[in-house]
Amino acid sequence: MTVDPFLPQPATGPGGAAAPPYGTAPRDDAARRAELAAFLRSRRERITPEQVGLPRGARRRTPGLRREEVAHLGAVGVTWYTWLEQARDIHVSPQVLDAVARALLLDRAERSHLFALAGAVDPMPGRECTGVTRELWQLLHQLTPFPAVVQNSRFDILAYNRTYGRLLCDLDAVPEEDRNCMWLAFTHPVWRAGLGDLEATLGVMAAKFRASMAEHLAEPAWKALVARLMEASPEFREIWAQHEVLRPVSAVKVFRHPRVGPLQLTATSLWTGPNPGPKLLYYTPVDETSRERLEQLAAEPAALAAV
């Protein structure tokens, strides 16, 4: 019989002896380990091999990743990870939890939940486990001078190359928690000034965000971003109330850069997995003038990016 760790258990132990009352440390620990095991399994099963650069293979029956694949991606022992999913009574270091969080591509809320269930202190709270592979990082930089960025469906900026980091503002100077295209488009003055048609861009972005959010309505990170935007931006509140939806499409975009001048670029998205989620977005110049200006932007000294 499966025992629900969140329900009270019988008050007697083996042989009729009185058992410790529900809520004492041993039983709390067991409940927490059981919930941790279930959480890890659920996160593992949602990730496709393609998302982390692994071959699917013809004989795969396991939904998502196998345990040994998670262990390999996190550089932790297979037995150790298996014991975690079996709710064994073992001590797990913050370093191992960090490695597992990275392997399972946990977002900020999920990472915090993982450390809470494990009863450990997160050494890097608020960190996003982007899952950007080394190969994807290499591709980003090989695309220079074309601007390129990896985003998830929430518009979080997970990785970017030098040109993208200078296209709309000095992105390196933006706090990590603010590196979200929705947040920047509605609240960052320099970013907004660089958008060729601000009003149209805001409407399209909000519509795409609402369409994507349909599959994430209960997720804390999505709700938190909407709440933050509602509080910070009257424009967002007005647009969000219209309930427009729009699926991603490629389009020519105009950017106004204060030093190199206007840029006409075609935006193209490449999904990094079989389902909409993290994607590589890159911009190619429409004309030779835009190409030359991109090359100029990519070659600028780093000190100019903040100007």
Side-chain angles (χ1 to χ4, degrees):
M1 180 179 67
T2 302
V3 176
D4 188 333
F6 291 103
L7 294 179
Q9 305 302 312
T12 58
Y22 185 75
T24 57
R27 185 159 293 169
D28 284 350
D29 288 345
R32 189 157 55 182
R33 290 198 304 271
E35 180 64 13
L36 173 61
F39 179 67
L40 289 173
R41 285 194 298 272
S42 71
R43 301 304 90 176
R44 171 171 61 83
E45 291 174 355
R46 73 175 182 175
I47 300 173
T48 64
E50 293 87 348
Q51 282 180 278
V52 291
L54 296 175
R56 172 167 290 277
R59 303 180 64 181
R60 179 178 293 270
R61 294 188 179 91
T62 304
L65 298 179
R66 301 184 179 101
R67 287 174 175 171
E68 57 267 27
E69 291 172 332
V70 175
H72 170 73
L73 291 167
V76 300
V78 176
T79 300
W80 199 259
Y81 180 77
T82 300
W83 285 351
L84 279 176
E85 283 204 10
Q86 292 176 344
R88 298 282 190 94
D89 187 5
I90 59 173
H91 173 74
V92 188
S93 71
Q95 291 74 24
V96 168
L97 291 172
D98 176 64
V100 170
R102 289 169 175 269
L104 294 175
L105 311 184
L106 302 188
D107 64 21
R108 290 180 176 88
E110 292 166 335
R111 180 185 173 98
S112 177
H113 188 58
L114 171 69
F115 276 84
L117 290 176
V121 177
D122 188 348
M124 290 172 283
R127 183 172 192 154
E128 189 89 26
C129 304
T130 66
V132 178
T133 63
R134 181 180 60 183
E135 292 78 12
L136 195 51
W137 272 106
Q138 290 175 339
L139 180 56
L140 274 176
H141 295 296
Q142 287 296 318
L143 285 169
T144 304
F146 298 164
V149 60
V150 178
Q151 297 177 0
N152 60 19
S153 56
R154 201 169 54 235
F155 285 88
D156 292 328
I157 297 172
L158 309 181
Y160 53 91
N161 65 6
R162 182 171 64 249
T163 316
Y164 186 87
R166 301 173 180 182
L167 182 63
L168 288 163
C169 72
D170 177 14
L171 197 50
D172 291 342
V174 174
E176 286 192 26
E177 62 271 19
D178 290 344
R179 292 180 190 172
N180 173 280
C181 290
M182 287 287 292
W183 178 255
L184 293 169
F186 280 96
T187 68
H188 195 289
V190 177
W191 186 282
R192 289 162 59 86
L195 298 173
D197 188 337
L198 179 61
E199 182 178 356
T201 298
L202 295 181
V204 167
M205 289 184 67
K208 288 181 179 179
F209 183 82
R210 183 179 284 280
S212 296
M213 191 172 177
E215 299 177 358
H216 305 275
L217 288 175
E219 296 183 23
W222 289 75
K223 294 191 291 185
L225 177 57
V226 172
R228 192 181 181 204
L229 284 164
M230 292 284 281
E231 181 178 359
S233 172
E235 282 176 298
F236 178 79
R237 292 196 295 270
E238 180 180 350
I239 294 172
W240 195 245
Q242 297 171 11
H243 290 265
E244 298 290 342
V245 293
L246 182 67
R247 292 297 177 183
V249 293
S250 296
V252 174
K253 297 186 177 182
V254 177
F255 299 94
R256 301 191 188 99
H257 197 276
R259 291 185 304 281
V260 302
L263 297 152
Q264 294 189 68
L265 308 175
T266 300
T268 303
S269 296
L270 298 176
W271 304 110
T272 60
N275 301 310
K279 66 180 179 181
L280 170 64
L281 175 65
Y282 67 95
Y283 297 88
T284 50
V286 171
D287 51 37
E288 190 60 30
T289 298
S290 294
R291 177 186 293 272
E292 292 172 356
R293 288 173 176 172
L294 282 179
E295 292 174 349
Q296 179 184 344
L297 184 61
E300 283 186 343
L304 284 179
V307 177

